[in-house]
Amino acid sequence: MRVVVDGEPRELRTVWLEDGAVKLIDQRRLPFELRILEARDLEEVAQAIEDMAVRGAPAIGATAAYGLALAHLQGKDLKEAADRLRKTRPTGHDLFHAIEYILQAAEKGEDPRAAAERYADEDVARCRAIGVAGAKLIREGTRILTHCNAGALATVDIGTVMAPLRAAKARGRRFFVYVSETRPRLQGARLTAWELAQEGIEHAIIVDGASGHFLARGEVDLVLVGADRIAANGDTANKIGTYAKAVLAKENRVPFYVVASTSTIDFSLPSGDKIPIEERSPQEVLHFEGTLAAPKESPARNPAFDVTPAKYIKGIITERGILPPGQLARLRAPPRRARAPARPRKARRKRD
Amino acid sequence: MRVVVDGEPRELRTVWLEDGAVKLIDQRRLPFELRILEARDLEEVAQAIEDMAVRGAPAIGATAAYGLALAHLQGKDLKEAADRLRKTRPTGHDLFHAIEYILQAAEKGEDPRAAAERYADEDVARCRAIGVAGAKLIREGTRILTHCNAGALATVDIGTVMAPLRAAKARGRRFFVYVSETRPRLQGARLTAWELAQEGIEHAIIVDGASGHFLARGEVDLVLVGADRIAANGDTANKIGTYAKAVLAKENRVPFYVVASTSTIDFSLPSGDKIPIEERSPQEVLHFEGTLAAPKESPARNPAFDVTPAKYIKGIITERGILPPGQLARLRAPPRRARAPARPRKARRKRD
């Protein structure tokens, strides 16, 4: 993504490996400060994930991939490093997908760093393909509702939900985005609004409770949300508040799409009720930017994700096209690639 | 309500008239500071309503009643004073109801101050009766979800939603309340949690987006919300985010009740689509407790209320019992009062 650092425009990814450190945009500081955090060993990488300096399932996956590469460079045991990273956050699937990707590459004798770089590049390529697949849903004047941040910052670059928006914008289309602020951590207001502002896409921030109002008034044509883990039947875990939007969209006959890379699909889970839901600190609900916003004696509950059953989802926009949630099984087979027919099957499989 | 002022327990109402001023609990300061705001003339009363030092439809109604009494005491024209107050906030019905109540009393030769005191006392009596009517829905272990603040602070005392909770608590029942924080102004986290903590009622604050999660998991037995204006067919305007809870409750077969005094019913409106929805400053959304929480270039939309169609509402809990929304017309007739059979019909009508 193109960002301005110290007055200079610069092309940045969300996460990369450089000078013996995993470097990442510290997403807790945006939109007020663009700071690059340097995680100098595996533990610092794990903490950056736990503390949400980096967040978004695909971005967490790439961070874990680079974290393993860093651990290997520093002579650490790859499997122990993987065990540490698996404990950081339970809900998103890309974390586990990326860890397996690097471990399998290493088992085949590949350098973990090269594997991590390829993993990150593939994430970018998937997002680009998602943009092509999804852009057709965005017409002149389409009014879109989104939630949380499924932008460049939630991936290595480009984003999932943001990919069709960027593609449609590049084609000269004008459209409008309602940005649900996404309490408790305000990734919508802080990150998605920032990305939209950088792209010059018209938008307005709304409180999470206002989504239903705009849907019921016929002021939303399309709902696009990201995903943290998609079960084999299409049930989707995403940021808390997603399920409400899905039910409200269906009630008001507005199409609701999940936008995600296939790296987010967990074919080992038949349905969403087995997706582990992370419950984070109550302090995230009770405080804002360090300021207490509730009586000091009041407790809070803070589930970070909810599960949207497949029946509310019209389609899942992936790098391999838009599928109804019931047809995800088709993606278990490796993609047919017309451009590389001679490529050995094994090598292709590894890429997905 | 019993509150502690300067270390001393004191019985306070939300609003009253004393020493030539309308005095009210400044609800923008709670739960951190209990400050009494003194509005010394009609304009200060109007501004206290506009700036939400006092909020909640019934409390706004009583404040307007006292405001008219104060204007009259200060030799102002009652009708001009009424015109100013009608412009403060458009959505809640009690404001208009209270103004008519005082104007009609004055027309009949009654002292506006005496009429205002009676209006406030009647509001308290209605809330007490709502508590009796609603308490039967709250059993041992019932898990309730509420939104915004429909407590003592939203009325003169006791509250609407809080009335059945206080009554059930007084009967020794244990139950649990999920408090939806209610962005943008956090009346749930700041005011409802404060009232529940004072009463010793078990509760947890959740972000607005989390309601669906707890409903879908079967962790909520009953949804209770207040109302700002109820149309004749039962369609109900209430704090933004209420509609989402109603749809989510129906989808998960959890009963959804509106708790309101009959002063909130607007029989002149056949349905909710004619209820004017106030759109407040975008700054309320872009800031969180005074801190900017979004890019400075991003706009926001801030509808303060939404409309819940009657089909999502199982019942409306009023001081005259629990009615299905389709039967509100029964309340147009004056209540039959067994204790006062000899009372002239006209006098009774005035009271409702």
Side-chain angles (χ1 to χ4, degrees):
Chain A
M1 68 200 95
R2 184 174 298 271
V3 293
V4 178
V5 186
D6 299 330
E8 294 286 310
R10 190 175 153 189
E11 196 64 37
L12 270 190
R13 284 182 167 190
T14 297
V15 57
W16 68 97
L17 183 58
E18 188 183 27
D19 303 333
V22 174
K23 298 194 177 179
L24 37 88
I25 297 175
D26 189 338
Q27 302 192 30
R28 298 165 301 187
R29 307 277 185 137
L30 286 173
F32 308 110
E33 187 191 356
L34 184 71
R35 202 188 111 183
I36 306 304
L37 186 140
E38 303 192 2
R40 307 213 148 264
D41 60 27
L42 180 87
E43 185 53 32
E44 288 186 11
V45 172
Q47 283 175 14
I49 296 171
E50 286 169 347
D51 298 346
M52 293 178 68
V54 60
R55 30 62 54 200
I60 290 171
T63 304
Y66 282 126
L68 289 177
L70 179 64
H72 180 76
L73 284 171
Q74 295 180 341
K76 301 266 171 62
D77 181 75
L78 218 47
K79 286 193 175 152
E80 280 176 24
D83 286 343
R84 172 69 185 93
L85 289 170
R86 281 194 197 95
K87 286 179 193 144
T88 51
R89 298 196 68 195
T91 301
H93 183 252
D94 299 69
L95 171 68
F96 304 96
H97 175 80
I99 290 170
E100 285 315 304
Y101 184 103
I102 302 299
L103 290 182
Q104 282 180 24
E107 222 162 79
K108 284 170 189 157
E110 194 182 357
D111 173 35
R113 171 153 196 183
E117 295 293 359
R118 195 178 64 242
Y119 186 88
D121 289 344
E122 286 175 1
D123 187 72
V124 177
R126 283 193 294 261
C127 287
R128 192 166 289 120
I130 287 169
V132 174
K136 67 186 75 143
L137 296 174
I138 301 167
R139 301 198 175 83
E140 188 69 17
T142 298
R143 297 158 301 177
I144 299 149
L145 169 66
T146 188
H147 188 55
C148 198
N149 172 265
L153 293 163
T155 59
V156 176
D157 204 349
I158 299 172
T160 54
V161 168
M162 275 300 291
L165 304 188
R166 289 185 209 277
K169 174 79 180 172
R171 291 172 200 183
R173 277 176 219 148
R174 275 192 71 178
F175 51 94
F176 185 86
V177 183
Y178 289 99
V179 179
S180 188
E181 65 173 4
T182 317
R183 279 278 292 150
R185 296 185 67 109
L186 298 168
Q187 294 96 330
R190 295 195 296 103
L191 307 179
T192 299
W194 182 73
E195 290 194 35
L196 291 168
Q198 302 251 333
E199 288 282 336
I201 294 172
E202 278 186 86
H203 65 283
I205 299 169
I206 60 173
V207 296
D208 301 325
S211 308
H213 174 75
F214 291 106
L215 281 161
R217 293 200 152 202
E219 294 178 28
V220 176
D221 305 304
L222 178 66
V223 184
L224 297 179
V225 300
D228 290 86
R229 190 188 297 230
I230 303 173
N233 71 342
D235 291 353
T236 295
N238 191 45
K239 180 56 53 198
I240 192 79
T242 301
Y243 163 68
K245 286 178 176 56
V247 173
L248 289 161
K250 185 159 201 187
E251 193 74 5
N252 291 286
R253 295 164 200 245
V254 174
F256 178 96
Y257 287 89
V258 169
V259 193
S261 153
T262 53
S263 58
T264 305
I265 305 171
D266 181 356
F267 286 110
S268 77
L269 287 186
S271 69
D273 52 353
K274 293 285 186 301
I275 299 176
I277 299 297
E278 177 182 11
E279 185 134 354
R280 294 183 61 85
S281 164
Q283 300 308 321
E284 292 186 348
V285 175
L286 299 171
H287 287 79
F288 178 77
E289 298 279 18
T291 304
L292 185 66
K296 60 183 185 310
E297 61 269 52
S298 284
R301 290 284 306 274
N302 187 20
F305 303 93
D306 58 27
V307 174
T308 298
K311 67 176 174 178
Y312 300 107
I313 301 168
K314 183 167 170 72
I316 299 182
I317 305 174
T318 75
E319 75 275 15
R320 289 171 65 186
I322 304 177
L323 287 97
Q327 291 182 26
L328 286 186
R330 285 166 50 194
L331 300 178
R332 294 193 85 154
R336 275 173 292 171
R337 283 190 187 156
R339 289 178 203 164
R343 212 158 188 182
R345 197 183 170 83
K346 216 169 174 181
R348 269 187 288 152
R349 172 158 275 168
K350 200 173 60 186
R351 288 191 161 235
D352 301 283
Chain B
M1 70 199 94
R2 184 172 297 270
V3 293
V4 178
V5 187
D6 299 330
E8 295 286 310
R10 190 174 154 192
E11 195 65 34
L12 271 190
R13 284 182 169 190
T14 298
V15 58
W16 68 99
L17 182 58
E18 187 183 28
D19 304 331
V22 175
K23 299 193 177 180
L24 39 87
I25 297 176
D26 189 339
Q27 303 192 30
R28 298 164 302 185
R29 307 275 186 141
L30 286 172
F32 309 110
E33 187 192 357
L34 184 72
R35 203 189 110 184
I36 307 303
L37 186 140
E38 303 193 2
R40 305 213 151 265
D41 60 26
L42 181 85
E43 185 53 32
E44 288 186 9
V45 172
Q47 284 174 14
I49 296 172
E50 286 169 345
D51 299 345
M52 296 178 68
V54 60
R55 28 63 55 199
I60 291 171
T63 304
Y66 281 126
L68 290 176
L70 179 63
H72 181 77
L73 283 172
Q74 296 180 342
K76 299 269 172 61
D77 180 74
L78 218 48
K79 284 192 177 151
E80 282 176 23
D83 287 343
R84 172 68 185 96
L85 288 170
R86 282 193 196 95
K87 287 179 191 144
T88 51
R89 299 197 67 194
T91 302
H93 183 253
D94 299 67
L95 170 68
F96 305 95
H97 175 81
I99 290 170
E100 285 315 303
Y101 185 103
I102 302 299
L103 291 182
Q104 283 181 24
E107 223 162 79
K108 284 172 189 154
E110 193 181 357
D111 173 34
R113 171 156 196 178
E117 296 293 0
R118 196 179 62 244
Y119 186 88
D121 289 345
E122 286 175 2
D123 186 73
V124 177
R126 284 193 294 262
C127 287
R128 192 166 289 119
I130 286 169
V132 173
K136 68 186 75 143
L137 296 175
I138 301 167
R139 302 200 174 84
E140 188 70 17
T142 298
R143 296 158 303 176
I144 299 149
L145 169 66
T146 188
H147 189 55
C148 198
N149 173 264
L153 293 163
T155 60
V156 175
D157 204 351
I158 299 172
T160 54
V161 167
M162 275 300 293
L165 304 188
R166 289 185 209 276
K169 173 80 180 173
R171 291 173 200 182
R173 277 178 218 148
R174 276 192 70 178
F175 50 95
F176 185 87
V177 184
Y178 289 98
V179 179
S180 188
E181 64 173 5
T182 318
R183 278 279 289 151
R185 295 186 67 109
L186 297 170
Q187 295 95 330
R190 294 195 296 102
L191 307 180
T192 299
W194 181 72
E195 290 195 35
L196 290 168
Q198 302 251 332
E199 288 282 338
I201 294 172
E202 277 186 88
H203 64 283
I205 299 168
I206 59 173
V207 297
D208 301 325
S211 308
H213 175 76
F214 291 107
L215 281 160
R217 292 200 154 203
E219 294 178 29
V220 176
D221 305 304
L222 177 66
V223 184
L224 298 179
V225 300
D228 289 87
R229 191 188 297 231
I230 303 173
N233 72 341
D235 292 352
T236 295
N238 190 46
K239 180 55 55 199
I240 192 78
T242 301
Y243 164 67
K245 286 179 175 56
V247 173
L248 289 161
K250 186 161 200 187
E251 192 75 5
N252 291 287
R253 296 164 198 245
V254 174
F256 178 95
Y257 287 88
V258 168
V259 193
S261 153
T262 52
S263 58
T264 305
I265 304 171
D266 181 357
F267 286 110
S268 77
L269 286 187
S271 68
D273 52 354
K274 294 285 188 296
I275 299 176
I277 299 297
E278 177 182 11
E279 185 134 354
R280 293 183 61 84
S281 165
Q283 298 308 322
E284 292 186 349
V285 175
L286 298 172
H287 289 78
F288 194 103
E289 297 285 72
T291 303
L292 184 66
K296 59 185 184 312
E297 61 270 52
S298 284
R301 291 283 306 274
N302 186 20
F305 303 94
D306 58 27
V307 175
T308 298
K311 67 176 173 178
Y312 300 106
I313 301 168
K314 184 168 170 73
I316 299 181
I317 305 173
T318 75
E319 75 276 15
R320 289 170 64 188
I322 305 177
L323 286 98
Q327 291 182 26
L328 286 186
R330 285 166 49 194
L331 299 179
R332 295 192 85 154
R336 277 173 290 175
R337 283 190 185 153
R339 288 178 204 163
R343 213 159 187 182
R345 200 182 169 84
K346 217 171 175 180
R348 269 187 287 154
R349 172 158 275 171
K350 200 174 58 184
R351 291 193 159 232
D352 301 286

